[in-house]
Amino acid sequence: MRGVEQIPWLYDGLCRVLEWTGLERWRAWLVKGARGRTLEVGSGTGRNLARYDHALPLLVAVEPAADALEASKGRRGGALLVRASAEALPFREGAFDTVVSSLVFCSVPRPEVGLAEVRRVLAPGGVLRMLEHVRSEGRLGGAFADLIQPVWTKVAGGCHPNRRTEATVEAAGFELSERRANGSMRRFVATPR
Ligand SMILES: C[S@@+](CC[C@H](N)C(=O)[O-])C[C@H]1O[C@@H](n2cnc3c(N)ncnc32)[C@H](O)[C@@H]1O
């Protein structure tokens, strides 16, 4: 399904506005904590790539949308760009010390499968750093997100505005820390239990 997420110029334009109004700081927090061999899942047009520490020994970005992956070329020399899904990561067990996701698990069709894959490729002591938007905790906000979900998902190209991603991450066997909330935006570190 081709929606905003699969149209790089449009997605980048929207992101620029969101970053200017605050998302920039959360992106900076997300990548600043990456250590060791790092994998970003659902890297999109690569808006985080240039922000990673150049001392990282390995930076791999995985993205299933060909146009988005193409747009991310050149954003970070040395990063390995791989066309793949979070639901079937083409890496061995324990290959990464940090996995990063930003605004991704709202779109992964089977988030529980993607999170099991993330867990599999994390080395012992590894961490998942996430920045995601989730279903509003308010009764009205939550009901509104449920109402608009079918149209939203079509227009956005797979995004669900009403996912309880934190609960899904916990159910996948992670413990959350460093959690911050701002409206329906969340950022946190998830450590395998
Ligand atoms: C809202 S965009 C976020 C892009 C980027 N992470 C960012 O922060 O700008 C959601 C991304 O998730 C990707 N996505 C959708 N299904 C996926 C899957 N199964 N595995 C990995 N990424 C997926 C989409 O192609 C899209 O690039």
Side-chain angles (χ1 to χ4, degrees):
M1 175 172 30
R2 195 169 153 86
V4 174
E5 286 182 5
Q6 289 82 35
I7 305 172
W9 66 267
L10 185 53
Y11 182 74
D12 275 339
L14 285 173
C15 275
R16 255 180 240 119
V17 176
L18 291 174
E19 286 161 10
W20 186 69
T21 56
L23 184 62
E24 178 71 42
R25 282 197 306 279
W26 282 36
R27 283 197 189 278
W29 171 87
L30 188 71
V31 301
K32 202 178 62 189
R35 301 275 180 273
R37 298 159 298 166
T38 298
L39 169 68
E40 181 170 335
V41 291
S43 51
T45 57
R47 298 199 68 77
N48 291 327
L49 295 182
R51 297 175 164 90
Y52 286 96
D53 186 343
H54 281 266
L56 290 178
L58 175 68
L59 178 59
V60 180
V62 157
E63 164 60 44
D67 288 349
L69 200 61
E70 184 63 30
S72 63
K73 280 186 183 159
R75 284 216 152 132
R76 167 64 176 261
L80 185 61
L81 307 179
V82 179
R83 190 168 178 207
S85 165
E87 294 177 353
L89 292 171
F91 309 111
R92 63 175 169 75
E93 285 74 8
F96 296 97
D97 303 298
T98 305
V99 176
V100 168
S101 88
S102 68
L103 311 172
V104 171
F105 279 89
C106 50
S107 295
V108 174
R110 294 172 301 165
E112 66 291 348
V113 176
L115 287 162
E117 276 292 87
V118 167
R119 224 191 127 131
R120 182 183 67 75
V121 302
L122 270 177
V127 297
L128 165 62
R129 299 179 67 82
M130 299 186 85
L131 186 176
E132 299 285 344
H133 65 84
V134 299
R135 186 180 189 275
S136 168
E137 282 164 5
R139 231 161 57 93
L140 272 181
F144 181 68
D146 293 340
L147 183 72
I148 64 169
Q149 180 269 314
V151 173
W152 180 284
T153 301
K154 242 187 202 123
V155 172
C159 171
H160 295 71
N162 59 344
R163 286 216 173 137
R164 294 175 167 94
T165 298
E166 290 164 293
T168 311
V169 173
E170 285 176 326
F174 290 90
E175 196 167 285
L176 308 195
S177 60
E178 298 183 42
R179 180 180 181 274
R180 282 274 298 273
N182 184 2
S184 60
M185 295 294 282
R186 300 287 183 275
R187 72 183 209 201
F188 52 87
V189 173
T191 312
R193 274 197 295 269

